[in-house]
Structures are given as C-alpha cells and as structure tokens.
Amino acid sequence: MLRLTPSDRVFILTGAGVSAESGIPTFRGAGGLWRNYRIEEVASPYAWQRDPRLVWEFYSMRRRVAGEAKPNPAHLALARLEQALGDRFFLCTQNVDNLHEQAGAQRVVHMHGELFKSRCDSCNRPPFADSGTYDPPAALPRCDCGGTIRPHICWFGETPFEMERIYDALEGCTLFMAIGTSGVVEPAASFVAYVRHHARAVYVGPEEPSNRSSFSDAYFGKAGELLPTLFEVDGKPLTVGG
Ligand code: NAD
Ligand code: ZN
C-alpha cells in the first residue's frame, strides 16, 4: 500500500496502458499497428501534409473506438484520489480519450491533446468540441477561413500542451507516479528523471518501462487491478465507489 500523508503532493502521469482495460489498444503492444502503418506514419505534421484524408481516417477510427469505451477501475480510483487530495493532486495524461473525465476527474491536463476536439490548421480559432468522423471519400472538414480542420492532437514533432503548468507541478510534487506508459515518448519519458531527486517515483504497469532505472519503486500488474486498493490517504485506505 502507498501511504500518503498531509504533506504529500501527488503528480500522476498516465499513458495508454490505463485505457487498455477499457478496450482502447496501446500503440506498442500487440495489435499496435493500424492497417500496417506505424503510429508515427499517421500522427505527424508530415503525414498531415502528405495525406490529410489518411490522417482523418485514422482519427475517425480512434474516435469510434474511444466513443464506445467506458472508464475502468483505474480511472475510477484516480478520480477518487483526486477527490480525496484536492489541490494536492495533479493528473497529467498522455491519453487523448476522455475516460478520466468520464470517471469523474475534474482537472485533467491532456499534454497530447484531446481526441474529441478539433482545430483549424491555419487560423487562431480556438480548439472546439468535435466527435465527427471524416472517412474517405467524405470531404475534408474546412474552416471558414479556408484552412483545413485537423484533430486537436499533439503529433510527433509537435510541442505538447501546457508544459509550463506541468513543470511547475513536477517541481512541487513529493510523489510522482507513472501508470501504464512505456517510457519512450518524450518529453513525458523524462519527467521521472526531473523529479527523482526531490520526490518518490513509482511505476505501475504489467512490465518494466524503458526508464525503469529512474523509479524508486514499481508495482507490476494491471492498473485496473492495482490502483483501487493501492492508496492510503492520511491514515485511511482509499475506497473506490465508497
Ligand atoms: P505505449 O503504447 O507506448 O505503452 C503502453 C504501456 O502500457 C506499456 O508499457 C504497457 O506495458 C502498459 N500497459 C498495458 N496494459 C496495461 C494495464 N492493463 N495497466 C497498466 N499498464 C498497462 O503508450 P504511452 O507510453 O502512453 O505512449 C504512447 C503514445 O500513445 C502517447 O503519446 C499517447 O498519446 C498515445 N496513445 C494514447 C491512447 C489513448 O488515448 N487511450 C491510446 C494509444 C496511444
Ligand atoms: Zn481557420
């Protein structure tokens, strides 16, 4: 059990593994390819320039898969932890689905964007809610300015969102916990190295991440099985659903 005291400030980083038990495939596990494309081939500015229809076909598929998914006990346990800790809790996710929110999380920082938002690739119009699917031969969605509407996703080669807030929270945390993330996608993979001298660093997932050596502790198993009984907050076990 992981004991949290009133002086703890918790930074949680989640990855695709947290949504795996909800039926959303990870990229690097079995079945991680889409129609024989590697993720980098459909999730990059280069792919968007070369073949925006292929990119929209990929994100339309992902919207359909994520649109059917329901949060699992890992999402529920983290929402419960947020409730118990209030502003001593910071949740940063690399996931673009909305399962943390569906579980009741109030303040999720989506560093890689959100699947159910789109934005214009030309003008400064802010990102907007969009669950549309644009499979070929449908026309590409267009903005009034003439630009093309693209998914509000941080692609490979682009800068993640909200990095200033994220580094502030990393600096202030006493417990850093990475859950279901393979530790290969930067800059998230280096967060643990950034905090290891001032915070406990814990990994949760079924296998060792690539950056394992930077963590002080690891709990090996499925997030949905471990998280609901992992935390003790200010002397009381955290109960999920209670
Ligand atoms: P990844 O695919 O590289 O790694 C997934 C990790 O999850 C692996 O380490 C695996 O061992 C672990 N895992 C598998 N099942 C698990 C379970 N039941 N409980 C806990 N862990 C489990 O994913 P990543 O590190 O998040 O990075 C890849 C990129 O993939 C990110 O940029 C992210 O945006 C994107 N992605 C997002 C989603 C989503 O939004 N749900 C899905 C796939 C990929
Ligand atoms: Zn526009």
mmCIF file of all heavy atoms in Angstrom, residues 44-76:
data_model
loop_
_atom_site.group_PDB
_atom_site.id
_atom_site.type_symbol
_atom_site.label_atom_id
_atom_site.label_comp_id
_atom_site.label_asym_id
_atom_site.label_seq_id
_atom_site.Cartn_x
_atom_site.Cartn_y
_atom_site.Cartn_z
ATOM 1 N N SER A 44 1.735 12.670 -37.573
ATOM 2 C CA SER A 44 2.828 13.641 -37.684
ATOM 3 C C SER A 44 2.411 14.752 -38.640
ATOM 4 O O SER A 44 1.549 14.548 -39.494
ATOM 5 C CB SER A 44 4.095 12.965 -38.217
ATOM 6 O OG SER A 44 3.917 12.628 -39.577
ATOM 7 N N PRO A 45 3.031 15.929 -38.500
ATOM 8 C CA PRO A 45 2.734 17.023 -39.432
ATOM 9 C C PRO A 45 3.050 16.616 -40.872
ATOM 10 O O PRO A 45 2.363 17.021 -41.805
ATOM 11 C CB PRO A 45 3.672 18.150 -38.971
ATOM 12 C CG PRO A 45 4.023 17.825 -37.564
ATOM 13 C CD PRO A 45 3.992 16.324 -37.463
ATOM 14 N N TYR A 46 4.056 15.769 -41.038
ATOM 15 C CA TYR A 46 4.415 15.307 -42.371
ATOM 16 C C TYR A 46 3.276 14.482 -42.981
ATOM 17 O O TYR A 46 2.900 14.664 -44.141
ATOM 18 C CB TYR A 46 5.709 14.486 -42.280
ATOM 19 C CG TYR A 46 6.111 13.845 -43.576
ATOM 20 C CD1 TYR A 46 6.579 14.618 -44.640
ATOM 21 C CD2 TYR A 46 6.007 12.459 -43.752
ATOM 22 C CE1 TYR A 46 6.939 14.029 -45.845
ATOM 23 C CE2 TYR A 46 6.358 11.860 -44.949
ATOM 24 C CZ TYR A 46 6.820 12.653 -45.993
ATOM 25 O OH TYR A 46 7.160 12.060 -47.174
ATOM 26 N N ALA A 47 2.705 13.583 -42.168
ATOM 27 C CA ALA A 47 1.583 12.767 -42.644
ATOM 28 C C ALA A 47 0.404 13.657 -43.027
ATOM 29 O O ALA A 47 -0.281 13.439 -44.033
ATOM 30 C CB ALA A 47 1.152 11.773 -41.561
ATOM 31 N N TRP A 48 0.171 14.686 -42.216
ATOM 32 C CA TRP A 48 -0.940 15.608 -42.472
ATOM 33 C C TRP A 48 -0.739 16.348 -43.798
ATOM 34 O O TRP A 48 -1.667 16.523 -44.571
ATOM 35 C CB TRP A 48 -1.056 16.598 -41.314
ATOM 36 C CG TRP A 48 -2.146 17.624 -41.436
ATOM 37 C CD1 TRP A 48 -1.989 18.968 -41.585
ATOM 38 C CD2 TRP A 48 -3.564 17.389 -41.404
ATOM 39 N NE1 TRP A 48 -3.203 19.592 -41.653
ATOM 40 C CE2 TRP A 48 -4.195 18.650 -41.541
ATOM 41 C CE3 TRP A 48 -4.356 16.238 -41.286
ATOM 42 C CZ2 TRP A 48 -5.582 18.795 -41.558
ATOM 43 C CZ3 TRP A 48 -5.742 16.388 -41.298
ATOM 44 C CH2 TRP A 48 -6.334 17.644 -41.436
ATOM 45 N N GLN A 49 0.489 16.758 -44.063
ATOM 46 C CA GLN A 49 0.786 17.456 -45.326
ATOM 47 C C GLN A 49 0.631 16.534 -46.522
ATOM 48 O O GLN A 49 0.127 16.923 -47.562
ATOM 49 C CB GLN A 49 2.235 17.948 -45.309
ATOM 50 C CG GLN A 49 2.337 19.358 -44.822
ATOM 51 C CD GLN A 49 3.786 19.827 -44.828
ATOM 52 O OE1 GLN A 49 4.711 19.089 -45.196
ATOM 53 N NE2 GLN A 49 3.979 21.052 -44.401
ATOM 54 N N ARG A 50 1.097 15.317 -46.335
ATOM 55 C CA ARG A 50 1.138 14.381 -47.455
ATOM 56 C C ARG A 50 -0.234 13.804 -47.751
ATOM 57 O O ARG A 50 -0.634 13.672 -48.897
ATOM 58 C CB ARG A 50 2.105 13.246 -47.095
ATOM 59 C CG ARG A 50 2.536 12.380 -48.252
ATOM 60 C CD ARG A 50 3.307 11.188 -47.744
ATOM 61 N NE ARG A 50 2.614 10.606 -46.597
ATOM 62 C CZ ARG A 50 3.121 9.708 -45.789
ATOM 63 N NH1 ARG A 50 4.356 9.288 -45.963
ATOM 64 N NH2 ARG A 50 2.427 9.230 -44.775
ATOM 65 N N ASP A 51 -0.984 13.437 -46.685
ATOM 66 C CA ASP A 51 -2.238 12.719 -46.913
ATOM 67 C C ASP A 51 -3.235 12.973 -45.774
ATOM 68 O O ASP A 51 -3.475 12.103 -44.941
ATOM 69 C CB ASP A 51 -1.932 11.215 -47.039
ATOM 70 C CG ASP A 51 -3.113 10.444 -47.616
ATOM 71 O OD1 ASP A 51 -4.207 11.026 -47.725
ATOM 72 O OD2 ASP A 51 -2.933 9.257 -47.938
ATOM 73 N N PRO A 52 -3.845 14.181 -45.730
ATOM 74 C CA PRO A 52 -4.760 14.504 -44.630
ATOM 75 C C PRO A 52 -5.966 13.559 -44.562
ATOM 76 O O PRO A 52 -6.497 13.315 -43.482
ATOM 77 C CB PRO A 52 -5.197 15.941 -44.919
ATOM 78 C CG PRO A 52 -4.835 16.208 -46.341
ATOM 79 C CD PRO A 52 -3.686 15.309 -46.676
ATOM 80 N N ARG A 53 -6.351 12.997 -45.702
ATOM 81 C CA ARG A 53 -7.501 12.066 -45.665
ATOM 82 C C ARG A 53 -7.156 10.798 -44.882
ATOM 83 O O ARG A 53 -7.978 10.280 -44.139
ATOM 84 C CB ARG A 53 -7.951 11.716 -47.085
ATOM 85 C CG ARG A 53 -8.707 12.837 -47.729
ATOM 86 C CD ARG A 53 -9.240 12.488 -49.104
ATOM 87 N NE ARG A 53 -10.084 13.576 -49.565
ATOM 88 C CZ ARG A 53 -9.621 14.728 -50.047
ATOM 89 N NH1 ARG A 53 -8.313 14.922 -50.170
ATOM 90 N NH2 ARG A 53 -10.457 15.678 -50.407
ATOM 91 N N LEU A 54 -5.942 10.310 -45.073
ATOM 92 C CA LEU A 54 -5.492 9.123 -44.326
ATOM 93 C C LEU A 54 -5.442 9.442 -42.821
ATOM 94 O O LEU A 54 -5.845 8.645 -41.981
ATOM 95 C CB LEU A 54 -4.108 8.683 -44.821
ATOM 96 C CG LEU A 54 -3.530 7.456 -44.109
ATOM 97 C CD1 LEU A 54 -4.250 6.184 -44.567
ATOM 98 C CD2 LEU A 54 -2.031 7.330 -44.366
ATOM 99 N N VAL A 55 -4.964 10.632 -42.499
ATOM 100 C CA VAL A 55 -4.884 11.038 -41.091
ATOM 101 C C VAL A 55 -6.288 11.083 -40.490
ATOM 102 O O VAL A 55 -6.535 10.547 -39.398
ATOM 103 C CB VAL A 55 -4.169 12.403 -40.959
ATOM 104 C CG1 VAL A 55 -4.219 12.907 -39.518
ATOM 105 C CG2 VAL A 55 -2.725 12.286 -41.434
ATOM 106 N N TRP A 56 -7.248 11.681 -41.233
ATOM 107 C CA TRP A 56 -8.613 11.738 -40.705
ATOM 108 C C TRP A 56 -9.250 10.346 -40.631
ATOM 109 O O TRP A 56 -10.052 10.066 -39.743
ATOM 110 C CB TRP A 56 -9.500 12.695 -41.523
ATOM 111 C CG TRP A 56 -9.609 14.044 -40.871
ATOM 112 C CD1 TRP A 56 -9.305 15.254 -41.423
ATOM 113 C CD2 TRP A 56 -10.075 14.327 -39.529
ATOM 114 N NE1 TRP A 56 -9.531 16.266 -40.518
ATOM 115 C CE2 TRP A 56 -9.998 15.720 -39.349
ATOM 116 C CE3 TRP A 56 -10.517 13.531 -38.462
ATOM 117 C CZ2 TRP A 56 -10.371 16.344 -38.152
ATOM 118 C CZ3 TRP A 56 -10.883 14.154 -37.264
ATOM 119 C CH2 TRP A 56 -10.806 15.540 -37.125
ATOM 120 N N GLU A 57 -8.874 9.478 -41.527
ATOM 121 C CA GLU A 57 -9.422 8.115 -41.461
ATOM 122 C C GLU A 57 -8.957 7.443 -40.164
ATOM 123 O O GLU A 57 -9.729 6.786 -39.461
ATOM 124 C CB GLU A 57 -8.966 7.317 -42.687
ATOM 125 C CG GLU A 57 -9.689 5.992 -42.825
ATOM 126 C CD GLU A 57 -9.205 5.185 -44.031
ATOM 127 O OE1 GLU A 57 -8.376 5.698 -44.831
ATOM 128 O OE2 GLU A 57 -9.654 4.031 -44.157
ATOM 129 N N PHE A 58 -7.681 7.642 -39.840
ATOM 130 C CA PHE A 58 -7.124 7.078 -38.611
ATOM 131 C C PHE A 58 -7.813 7.670 -37.372
ATOM 132 O O PHE A 58 -8.258 6.936 -36.477
ATOM 133 C CB PHE A 58 -5.607 7.354 -38.577
ATOM 134 C CG PHE A 58 -4.940 6.938 -37.297
ATOM 135 C CD1 PHE A 58 -4.881 5.601 -36.916
ATOM 136 C CD2 PHE A 58 -4.342 7.888 -36.475
ATOM 137 C CE1 PHE A 58 -4.243 5.217 -35.738
ATOM 138 C CE2 PHE A 58 -3.707 7.511 -35.297
ATOM 139 C CZ PHE A 58 -3.661 6.178 -34.920
ATOM 140 N N TYR A 59 -7.954 8.999 -37.333
ATOM 141 C CA TYR A 59 -8.575 9.609 -36.145
ATOM 142 C C TYR A 59 -10.076 9.351 -36.088
ATOM 143 O O TYR A 59 -10.659 9.306 -34.998
ATOM 144 C CB TYR A 59 -8.209 11.102 -36.039
ATOM 145 C CG TYR A 59 -6.801 11.230 -35.524
ATOM 146 C CD1 TYR A 59 -5.735 11.445 -36.392
ATOM 147 C CD2 TYR A 59 -6.525 11.018 -34.173
ATOM 148 C CE1 TYR A 59 -4.427 11.477 -35.920
ATOM 149 C CE2 TYR A 59 -5.222 11.046 -33.702
ATOM 150 C CZ TYR A 59 -4.185 11.282 -34.571
ATOM 151 O OH TYR A 59 -2.896 11.283 -34.093
ATOM 152 N N SER A 60 -10.714 9.143 -37.238
ATOM 153 C CA SER A 60 -12.137 8.780 -37.221
ATOM 154 C C SER A 60 -12.296 7.415 -36.564
ATOM 155 O O SER A 60 -13.193 7.211 -35.736
ATOM 156 C CB SER A 60 -12.692 8.743 -38.656
ATOM 157 O OG SER A 60 -12.605 10.028 -39.231
ATOM 158 N N MET A 61 -11.392 6.482 -36.923
ATOM 159 C CA MET A 61 -11.422 5.158 -36.306
ATOM 160 C C MET A 61 -11.195 5.285 -34.794
ATOM 161 O O MET A 61 -11.913 4.693 -33.994
ATOM 162 C CB MET A 61 -10.333 4.288 -36.969
ATOM 163 C CG MET A 61 -10.138 2.898 -36.394
ATOM 164 S SD MET A 61 -9.144 2.833 -34.881
ATOM 165 C CE MET A 61 -7.518 3.332 -35.465
ATOM 166 N N ARG A 62 -10.224 6.123 -34.420
ATOM 167 C CA ARG A 62 -9.945 6.259 -32.982
ATOM 168 C C ARG A 62 -11.121 6.903 -32.252
ATOM 169 O O ARG A 62 -11.410 6.561 -31.103
ATOM 170 C CB ARG A 62 -8.664 7.064 -32.763
ATOM 171 C CG ARG A 62 -7.442 6.278 -33.270
ATOM 172 C CD ARG A 62 -6.148 6.907 -32.847
ATOM 173 N NE ARG A 62 -5.954 6.863 -31.405
ATOM 174 C CZ ARG A 62 -5.022 7.541 -30.761
ATOM 175 N NH1 ARG A 62 -4.185 8.310 -31.435
ATOM 176 N NH2 ARG A 62 -4.912 7.465 -29.450
ATOM 177 N N ARG A 63 -11.805 7.849 -32.890
ATOM 178 C CA ARG A 63 -12.993 8.439 -32.251
ATOM 179 C C ARG A 63 -14.082 7.387 -32.057
ATOM 180 O O ARG A 63 -14.757 7.382 -31.032
ATOM 181 C CB ARG A 63 -13.533 9.603 -33.107
ATOM 182 C CG ARG A 63 -12.724 10.878 -32.924
ATOM 183 C CD ARG A 63 -13.277 12.046 -33.732
ATOM 184 N NE ARG A 63 -12.499 13.255 -33.439
ATOM 185 C CZ ARG A 63 -12.699 14.435 -34.001
ATOM 186 N NH1 ARG A 63 -13.658 14.591 -34.919
ATOM 187 N NH2 ARG A 63 -11.963 15.469 -33.662
ATOM 188 N N ARG A 64 -14.230 6.502 -33.050
ATOM 189 C CA ARG A 64 -15.262 5.466 -32.894
ATOM 190 C C ARG A 64 -14.910 4.520 -31.739
ATOM 191 O O ARG A 64 -15.765 4.192 -30.921
ATOM 192 C CB ARG A 64 -15.436 4.681 -34.194
ATOM 193 C CG ARG A 64 -16.327 5.398 -35.209
ATOM 194 C CD ARG A 64 -16.664 4.494 -36.385
ATOM 195 N NE ARG A 64 -15.491 4.249 -37.207
ATOM 196 C CZ ARG A 64 -15.133 4.996 -38.259
ATOM 197 N NH1 ARG A 64 -15.894 6.022 -38.644
ATOM 198 N NH2 ARG A 64 -14.053 4.708 -38.929
ATOM 199 N N VAL A 65 -13.650 4.085 -31.691
ATOM 200 C CA VAL A 65 -13.240 3.150 -30.627
ATOM 201 C C VAL A 65 -13.387 3.813 -29.254
ATOM 202 O O VAL A 65 -14.001 3.261 -28.330
ATOM 203 C CB VAL A 65 -11.780 2.672 -30.845
ATOM 204 C CG1 VAL A 65 -11.274 1.875 -29.656
ATOM 205 C CG2 VAL A 65 -11.684 1.842 -32.126
ATOM 206 N N ALA A 66 -12.867 5.030 -29.125
ATOM 207 C CA ALA A 66 -12.904 5.703 -27.818
ATOM 208 C C ALA A 66 -14.331 6.101 -27.453
ATOM 209 O O ALA A 66 -14.679 6.155 -26.269
ATOM 210 C CB ALA A 66 -11.990 6.925 -27.831
ATOM 211 N N GLY A 67 -15.154 6.367 -28.452
ATOM 212 C CA GLY A 67 -16.543 6.773 -28.199
ATOM 213 C C GLY A 67 -17.357 5.665 -27.544
ATOM 214 O O GLY A 67 -18.355 5.924 -26.877
ATOM 215 N N GLU A 68 -16.933 4.429 -27.721
ATOM 216 C CA GLU A 68 -17.648 3.288 -27.140
ATOM 217 C C GLU A 68 -17.083 2.896 -25.788
ATOM 218 O O GLU A 68 -17.668 2.070 -25.093
ATOM 219 C CB GLU A 68 -17.461 2.063 -28.045
ATOM 220 C CG GLU A 68 -17.788 2.316 -29.486
ATOM 221 C CD GLU A 68 -18.976 1.511 -29.933
ATOM 222 O OE1 GLU A 68 -18.878 0.273 -29.898
ATOM 223 O OE2 GLU A 68 -20.003 2.140 -30.277
ATOM 224 N N ALA A 69 -15.914 3.434 -25.436
ATOM 225 C CA ALA A 69 -15.203 2.944 -24.245
ATOM 226 C C ALA A 69 -15.760 3.563 -22.969
ATOM 227 O O ALA A 69 -16.245 4.700 -22.955
ATOM 228 C CB ALA A 69 -13.717 3.264 -24.371
ATOM 229 N N LYS A 70 -15.687 2.773 -21.918
ATOM 230 C CA LYS A 70 -16.129 3.231 -20.588
ATOM 231 C C LYS A 70 -14.930 3.195 -19.649
ATOM 232 O O LYS A 70 -14.055 2.351 -19.792
ATOM 233 C CB LYS A 70 -17.200 2.273 -20.049
ATOM 234 C CG LYS A 70 -18.503 2.308 -20.834
ATOM 235 C CD LYS A 70 -19.349 3.505 -20.415
ATOM 236 C CE LYS A 70 -20.543 3.762 -21.321
ATOM 237 N NZ LYS A 70 -20.202 4.477 -22.584
ATOM 238 N N PRO A 71 -14.903 4.087 -18.659
ATOM 239 C CA PRO A 71 -13.776 4.076 -17.727
ATOM 240 C C PRO A 71 -13.682 2.745 -16.979
ATOM 241 O O PRO A 71 -14.695 2.072 -16.782
ATOM 242 C CB PRO A 71 -14.094 5.216 -16.752
ATOM 243 C CG PRO A 71 -15.481 5.657 -17.027
ATOM 244 C CD PRO A 71 -15.880 5.143 -18.372
ATOM 245 N N ASN A 72 -12.482 2.363 -16.604
ATOM 246 C CA ASN A 72 -12.278 1.116 -15.850
ATOM 247 C C ASN A 72 -11.883 1.473 -14.405
ATOM 248 O O ASN A 72 -11.763 2.657 -14.073
ATOM 249 C CB ASN A 72 -11.254 0.233 -16.588
ATOM 250 C CG ASN A 72 -9.869 0.840 -16.581
ATOM 251 O OD1 ASN A 72 -9.315 1.130 -15.516
ATOM 252 N ND2 ASN A 72 -9.304 1.070 -17.762
ATOM 253 N N PRO A 73 -11.696 0.463 -13.554
ATOM 254 C CA PRO A 73 -11.414 0.768 -12.143
ATOM 255 C C PRO A 73 -10.186 1.650 -11.914
ATOM 256 O O PRO A 73 -10.107 2.349 -10.893
ATOM 257 C CB PRO A 73 -11.231 -0.623 -11.524
ATOM 258 C CG PRO A 73 -12.072 -1.521 -12.375
ATOM 259 C CD PRO A 73 -11.930 -0.988 -13.774
ATOM 260 N N ALA A 74 -9.230 1.671 -12.858
ATOM 261 C CA ALA A 74 -8.063 2.547 -12.700
ATOM 262 C C ALA A 74 -8.491 4.014 -12.798
ATOM 263 O O ALA A 74 -8.082 4.852 -11.986
ATOM 264 C CB ALA A 74 -7.022 2.229 -13.772
ATOM 265 N N HIS A 75 -9.319 4.328 -13.785
ATOM 266 C CA HIS A 75 -9.800 5.713 -13.916
ATOM 267 C C HIS A 75 -10.621 6.111 -12.687
ATOM 268 O O HIS A 75 -10.515 7.234 -12.188
ATOM 269 C CB HIS A 75 -10.690 5.867 -15.159
ATOM 270 C CG HIS A 75 -10.008 5.568 -16.462
ATOM 271 N ND1 HIS A 75 -10.211 4.399 -17.142
ATOM 272 C CD2 HIS A 75 -9.124 6.291 -17.197
ATOM 273 C CE1 HIS A 75 -9.487 4.420 -18.259
ATOM 274 N NE2 HIS A 75 -8.816 5.548 -18.321
ATOM 275 N N LEU A 76 -11.434 5.175 -12.204
ATOM 276 C CA LEU A 76 -12.293 5.485 -11.051
ATOM 277 C C LEU A 76 -11.451 5.716 -9.794
ATOM 278 O O LEU A 76 -11.720 6.639 -9.019
ATOM 279 C CB LEU A 76 -13.302 4.354 -10.822
ATOM 280 C CG LEU A 76 -14.311 4.173 -11.964
ATOM 281 C CD1 LEU A 76 -15.115 2.878 -11.785
ATOM 282 C CD2 LEU A 76 -15.264 5.366 -12.070
#
